[in-house]
């Protein structure tokens, strides 16, 4: 009877469990038949990721002393001095893989912490820490969630803040690990003064462009510290390729920039080279949806809402009459809820449904990129024909006018005077805008792909799952209750702010003084929204127990200076009790 996996069996396994990288089978020597062994330095640090019950991906990159095949050895131990060695090995890397090293260190024990390091000639890497997935009964799981790190926008103080923790089971990175823009692009106004102008100088289009940008990001000390401290579980979003990417194109890909599919292939090859992610199979750079099981407590399902199956985003401009500026809400609603419109694609959606039907952990967590909650704003705001303060002022004025017309005797003299002084603003065009229904503010999110969202919620509801969705992408922090088309709360969503990319305060031009009132106004305008932070950079901490899921948002006071503090006064916390999908603050 066959009792173990051969190398061929291992590499042939589907990647939702284990994939094809260099594999460790135990302690082995580091001898080489080569006449000469070349070496290199570890200037981009080390990392681990995609933990399994008996394995973890280990990553590094060497900067070679000479352009040649570089021999790299690696070690895994139970102690930082490597006196209790568990497994080791040796591999070669070269320019074909951009001198990156990825090891699938197997044969480890479930729920145990390990130390690891790499060696190349006289060079020795820093020592990293990692942890395998637990099995059986698990009391607690703690995950840091982050996304959207734009190098020229500021320092990665959020990574440094998270690296101060010693209690994390993993970091969940929900994408936009890097940005593709060239110098002078998005959020680059202070890059030169900060010494953070991007490399290469131009927009990323070719494989070497993406590789160079990854090398620059991975040279950041704050990011290196966090990678060395804890395993990462990652998915990509759009900027790993280009802004607002979908299956066959992107907003930030122009006709003069070559074939989009070739650009995407280059970007994804670099992603798999530079991130500690386990591929499904050798050379498969397309499919990254997969699950991680934290014993009986948490099943984490990582999704690709961006590249594999997404249809092109809807555009409000296609529903606006260019002459009258009238919005065709009926046609828009029909298109947004089309049953053939897909975010995940059929194969991934079927996999997720089947996985949710079979999952038995107390908490089912969807790790994915974009907001799933219904973020519906009055159409006048969503189509940018009115600002939030302007809409609030005019809506109040319209309410006073309606009360006056109805002969409301409770109107005060002050209200009547205000109405008389401002009633001229209530033109027929303004009144028409105020009467439009609420529509999604962001068509790049699940609001633009409503049918598949309903399928997911219905599947979770049918199994009475305790559903928690985590999201990034928007650069702001949010908390939503997830309601289905019957208005029933099926789960909750917690969204992280960004590492450095600016949020709505940047797009709306809000001053610090305007932020609190605007946050309150948005929460009041959106039915399912329970929390919003529109200004601060930070990360989300999720702690799961058998009784509740706790969400805490931590922010830094600045990203424009390497010296920073925790912005305690803006921190927030919320929880969800088991079998009660309602968000409770405080």
């Amino acid at each position: 009877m066959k009792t173990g996996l051969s190398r061929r069996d291992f590499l042939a396994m589907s990647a939702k469990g284990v994939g094809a990288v260099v594999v460790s089978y135990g302690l082995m020597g580091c001898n080489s038949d080569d006449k000469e062994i070349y070496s290199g330095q570890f200037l981009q640090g080390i990392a681990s990721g995609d933990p399994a019950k008996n394995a973890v991906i280990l990553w590094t990159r060497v900067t070679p002393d000479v352009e040649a095949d570089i021999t790299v050895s690696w070690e895994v131990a139970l102690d930082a001095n490597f006196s209790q060695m568990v497994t080791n090995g040796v591999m070669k890397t070269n320019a074909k893989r951009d001198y990156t090293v990825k090891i699938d260190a197997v044969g480890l024990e479930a729920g145990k912490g390990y130390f690891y390091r790499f060696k190349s000639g006289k060079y020795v890497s820093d020592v990293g820490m990692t942890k395998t997935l637990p099995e059986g009964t698990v009391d607690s799981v703690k995950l840091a969630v982050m996304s959207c790190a734009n190098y020229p926008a500021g320092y990665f103080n959020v990574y440094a803040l998270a690296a101060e923790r010693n209690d994390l089971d993993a970091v969940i990175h929900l994408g936009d690990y890097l940005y593709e823009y060239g110098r002078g692009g998005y959020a680059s106004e202070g890059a030169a003064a900060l010494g953070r102008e991007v490399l290469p100088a131009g927009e990323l289009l070719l494989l070497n462009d993406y590789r160079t940008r990854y090398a620059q990001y991975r040279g950041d000390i704050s990011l290196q510290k966090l990678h060395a401290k804890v395993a990462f579980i990652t998915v990509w979003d759009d900027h790993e390729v280009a802004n607002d990417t979908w299956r066959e194109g992107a907003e930030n890909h122009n006709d003069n920039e070559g074939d989009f599919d070739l650009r995407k292939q280059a970007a994804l090859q670099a992603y798999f080279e530079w991130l500690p992610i386990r591929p499904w199979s050798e050379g498969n750079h397309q499919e990254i949806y997969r699950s991680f099981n934290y014993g009986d407590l948490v099943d984490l399902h990582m999704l690709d809402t961006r590249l594999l199956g997404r249809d092109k985003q809807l555009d409000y401009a296609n529903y606006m009459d260019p002459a009258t500026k009238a919005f065709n809400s009926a046609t828009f609603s029909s298109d947004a809820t089309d049953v053939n419109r897909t975010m995940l694609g059929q194969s991934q959606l079927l996999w997720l449904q089947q996985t949710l039907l079979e999952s038995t952990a107390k908490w089912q967590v969807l790790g994915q990129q974009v907001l799933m909650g219904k973020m519906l704003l009055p159409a006048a705001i969503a189509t940018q024909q009115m600002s939030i303060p302007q809409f609030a002022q005019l809506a109040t004025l319209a309410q006073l006018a309606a009360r006056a017309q109805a002969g409301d005797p409770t109107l005060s003299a002050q209200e009547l005077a205000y109405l008389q002084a401002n009633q001229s603003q209530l033109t027929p065009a303004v009144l028409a805008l105020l009467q439009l229904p609420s529509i999604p503010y962001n068509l790049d999110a699940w609001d633009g792909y409503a049918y598949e969202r309903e399928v997911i919620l219905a599947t979770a509801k049918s199994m009475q799952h305790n559903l928690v969705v985590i999201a990034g992408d928007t650069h702001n922090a949010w908390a939503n209750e997830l309601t289905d088309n019957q208005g029933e709360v099926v789960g909750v969503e917690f969204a992280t702010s960004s590492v450095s990319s600016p949020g709505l305060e940047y797009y709306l031009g809000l001053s610090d003084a305007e932020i609190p009132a605007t946050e309150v106004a948005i929460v009041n305008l959106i039915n399912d929204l329970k929390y919003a932070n529109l200004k601060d950079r930070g990360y989300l901490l999720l702690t799961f127990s058998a009784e509740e899921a706790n969400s805490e948002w931590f922010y830094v006071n600045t990203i424009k200076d390497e010296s920073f503090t925790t912005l305690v006064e803006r921190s927030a916390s919320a929880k969800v009790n088991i079998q009660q999908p309602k968000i409770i603050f405080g």
Side-chain angles (χ1 to χ4, degrees), residues 112-164:
K112 181 167 287 191
Y114 292 93
F115 296 86
Y116 65 96
R117 67 185 177 188
F118 298 87
K119 297 179 179 178
S120 182
K122 63 182 179 181
Y123 303 110
V124 181
S125 75
D126 291 336
V127 174
M129 293 182 287
T130 192
K131 186 185 296 185
T132 53
L133 294 182
E135 59 184 355
T137 301
V138 175
D139 295 328
S140 177
V141 172
K142 195 177 291 285
L143 307 170
V145 184
M146 43 192 67
S147 71
C148 304
N150 190 17
Y151 191 88
Y155 297 109
F156 290 163
N157 293 339
V158 172
Y159 289 143
L161 180 65
E164 294 175 2

Side-chain angles (χ1 to χ4, degrees), residues 51-67:
K53 289 181 175 62
N54 67 339
V56 67
I57 296 291
L58 306 179
W59 179 97
T60 192
R61 181 187 185 267
V62 292
T63 300
D65 292 337
V66 296
E67 292 288 328

Side-chain angles (χ1 to χ4, degrees), residues 319 329-339:
Y319 302 93
S329 58
T331 302
F332 168 77
S333 178
S334 175
D335 289 349
T337 57
D338 188 341
V339 298

Side-chain angles (χ1 to χ4, degrees), residues 83-234:
S83 61
Q84 301 179 66
M85 195 77 74
V86 174
T87 184
N88 67 0
V90 63
M91 69 163 289
K92 289 182 180 179
T93 186
N94 52 41
K96 290 182 180 179
R97 56 190 302 153
D98 200 20
Y99 292 99
T100 58
V101 174
K102 282 176 76 170
I103 305 296
D104 205 345
V106 301
L108 307 180
E109 293 184 41
K112 181 167 287 191
Y114 292 93
F115 296 86
Y116 65 96
R117 67 185 177 188
F118 298 87
K119 297 179 179 178
S120 182
K122 63 182 179 181
Y123 303 110
V124 181
S125 75
D126 291 336
V127 174
M129 293 182 287
T130 192
K131 186 185 296 185
T132 53
L133 294 182
E135 59 184 355
T137 301
V138 175
D139 295 328
S140 177
V141 172
K142 195 177 291 285
L143 307 170
V145 184
M146 43 192 67
S147 71
C148 304
N150 190 17
Y151 191 88
Y155 297 109
F156 290 163
N157 293 339
V158 172
Y159 289 143
L161 180 65
E164 294 175 2
R165 306 193 69 94
N166 295 312
D167 57 353
L168 296 176
D169 291 296
V171 167
I172 312 301
H173 202 295
L174 298 178
D176 293 347
Y177 187 92
L178 55 64
Y179 281 71
E180 84 283 11
Y181 299 110
R183 291 185 186 178
Y186 168 68
S188 296
E189 296 86 350
L194 296 174
R196 292 179 74 85
E197 290 187 300
V198 293
L199 296 172
E203 187 176 328
L204 309 185
L205 298 171
L206 305 175
L207 177 59
N208 281 339
D209 298 337
Y210 286 97
R211 285 171 164 176
T212 300
R213 187 69 56 85
Y214 275 109
Q216 182 181 38
Y217 270 63
R218 295 300 289 271
D220 185 274
I221 298 302
S222 296
L223 179 55
Q224 287 189 15
K225 286 181 178 177
L226 186 58
H227 267 301
K229 196 81 174 283
V230 61
F232 272 51
I233 296 172
T234 69

Side-chain angles (χ1 to χ4, degrees), residues 236 246-248 264 286 289 304-312 340-349 449 452:
W236 51 55
W246 56 288
R247 188 175 61 249
E248 297 176 0
K264 182 171 74 170
Q286 302 292 322
Y289 59 90
D304 177 3
T305 65
R306 182 57 66 181
L307 298 177
L308 188 63
R310 177 191 280 257
D311 288 330
K312 188 175 183 179
N340 296 310
R341 184 165 177 74
T342 180
M343 169 87 85
L344 300 180
Q346 184 179 32
S347 61
Q348 186 178 189
L349 180 61
Y449 304 81
E452 281 192 346

Side-chain angles (χ1 to χ4, degrees), residues 375-389:
M375 301 286 283
L376 307 181
L377 286 170
I381 298 173
T383 57
Q384 299 182 349
Q385 296 181 78
M386 287 184 185
S387 67
I388 292 173

